[in-house]
Amino acid sequence: MMKALLLYPRFPKTFWSYDEFMKIAGLKASIPPLGIITVAALLPSDWEIRFYDRNVSPETDADWQWCDIVILSAMIAQKQDFLAQIQKAVQLGKKVAVGGPYPTSIPEAALNAGANYLILDEGEITVPLFLEAIAQNQQQGIFRASEKPDVTKSPMPRFDLLKRDNYFMMAIQFSRGCPFNCEFCDIINLYGRKPRTKEPSQTLAELQTLYLNFPN
Ligand code: B12
């Protein structure tokens, strides 16, 4: 059993953070982070999980003291806060595991900052490899996937961990991968050229869960 503190780093102020609009509307962020709440669903059910989207509400010192491991997800835009959280974990003597588009694209940055476990590519394949390593008491590791997971087996994201009222909208993911070749986009590097779609039944279940959990 592990106590895991899941953190989603802060975004810098950019067009996409809509800072002024968020203030006027009394909101904190536009869309929830689906990657880390999908990873939360892939962790063993006997792990205790605390999750904070740092764009919405910061964790406390007590959360840092409580945890055995800090788990972070980030895209490149979150670089500054992501690296700062890794360094904080190192200073406090906590294990730190990272994944998501930023570490998958540039693993050296997380490694140099002191991350113990780099759980790269898509979590459906690499989280089980990480859990196996933890079970064998390995103190570090880099876990990669040579194949793309079948998203029809992907678990329902842990929508229950979100503070719904702070987001402008909810989101679901129906497909991964893209057949096109736009030069500004790294989807094909991260998720491949072959679109993979969830089942309509999965999508309906996700929508139904959002509807039942967040009726407003
Ligand atoms: C929704 C979205 C946004 C939302 C943010 C939502 C949020 N809070 O997360 C908004 C619209 C704000 C946004 C903005 C931007 N985004 Co954006 N976004 C996306 C998008 C379309 C979907 C992300 C998502 O929810 N995916 C669904 C989840 C389930 O998948 P996932 O996050 O990939 O998670 C899986 C794996 O990555 C992994 N994983 C993820 N985290 C972790 C953590 C651990 C510990 C582990 C083990 C595994 C793991 O496991 C998960 C399950 O397989 C992606 C593209 C895509 N199709 O994924 C781009 C994407 C993430 N964005 C990208 C970019 C570049 C941006 C912008 C910088 C664009 C810009 N030019 O301004 C801005 C930055 C925002 C800012 N304020 O500065 C890039 C990131 C590139 C990179 N290598 O970091 C992507 C990949 C798109 C692209 N075309 O290249 N974005």
Side-chain angles (χ1 to χ4, degrees):
M1 207 270 281
M2 290 271 261
K3 294 181 177 130
L5 180 59
L6 274 54
L7 299 178
Y8 192 60
R10 268 203 290 273
F11 283 106
K13 286 190 181 181
T14 65
F15 170 81
W16 286 107
S17 49
Y18 305 119
D19 297 270
E20 295 307 317
F21 167 72
M22 290 298 157
K23 268 184 234 158
I24 295 167
L27 300 167
K28 300 280 188 182
S30 57
I31 307 182
L34 291 182
I36 188 103
I37 62 169
T38 300
V39 168
L42 293 165
L43 295 175
S45 55
D46 66 345
W47 281 30
E48 283 181 47
I49 290 175
R50 293 185 189 176
F51 163 73
Y52 295 90
D53 178 346
R54 289 173 48 79
N55 301 285
V56 163
S57 60
E59 75 291 355
T60 63
D61 288 345
D63 294 316
W64 277 95
Q65 271 164 21
W66 163 87
C67 72
D68 304 315
I69 188 164
V70 178
I71 302 183
L72 299 160
S73 167
M75 57 173 100
I76 293 171
Q78 289 156 289
K79 175 178 182 171
Q80 200 182 357
D81 194 40
F82 172 74
L83 296 176
Q85 300 315 311
I86 296 177
Q87 282 154 1
K88 181 169 177 177
V90 171
Q91 270 163 19
L92 293 175
K94 304 288 181 178
K95 287 280 176 207
V96 52
V98 301
Y102 178 32
T104 298
S105 306
I106 309 169
E108 314 80 60
L111 211 53
N112 292 340
N116 305 97
Y117 305 100
L118 273 64
I119 317 170
L120 308 179
D121 303 305
E122 293 176 49
E124 286 83 352
I125 292 184
T126 51
V127 168
L129 304 177
F130 157 70
L131 294 174
E132 220 173 276
I134 292 255
Q136 288 166 5
N137 208 17
Q138 287 176 29
Q139 302 299 308
Q140 60 201 41
I142 300 179
F143 312 98
R144 298 224 69 144
S146 50
E147 286 172 20
K148 305 290 176 204
D150 172 0
V151 289
T152 66
K153 308 250 161 51
S154 190
M156 163 109 56
R158 289 279 311 272
F159 294 116
D160 59 291
L161 296 172
L162 301 173
K163 295 185 172 73
R164 164 68 180 102
D165 292 347
N166 292 303
Y167 295 97
F168 180 49
M169 53 188 158
M170 289 286 107
I172 60 166
Q173 182 178 53
F174 172 65
S175 98
R176 283 187 206 167
C178 178
F180 298 110
N181 203 16
C182 307
E183 63 180 17
F184 57 83
C185 177
D186 65 359
I187 293 287
I188 53 173
N189 299 96
L190 292 166
Y191 308 98
R193 287 188 173 279
K194 197 170 157 225
R196 288 163 284 139
T197 56
K198 290 187 177 177
E199 296 289 353
S201 59
Q202 278 173 292
T203 301
L204 288 173
E206 292 191 20
L207 289 172
Q208 187 68 15
T209 301
L210 285 174
Y211 178 70
L212 292 174
N213 279 306
F214 310 119
N216 307 317

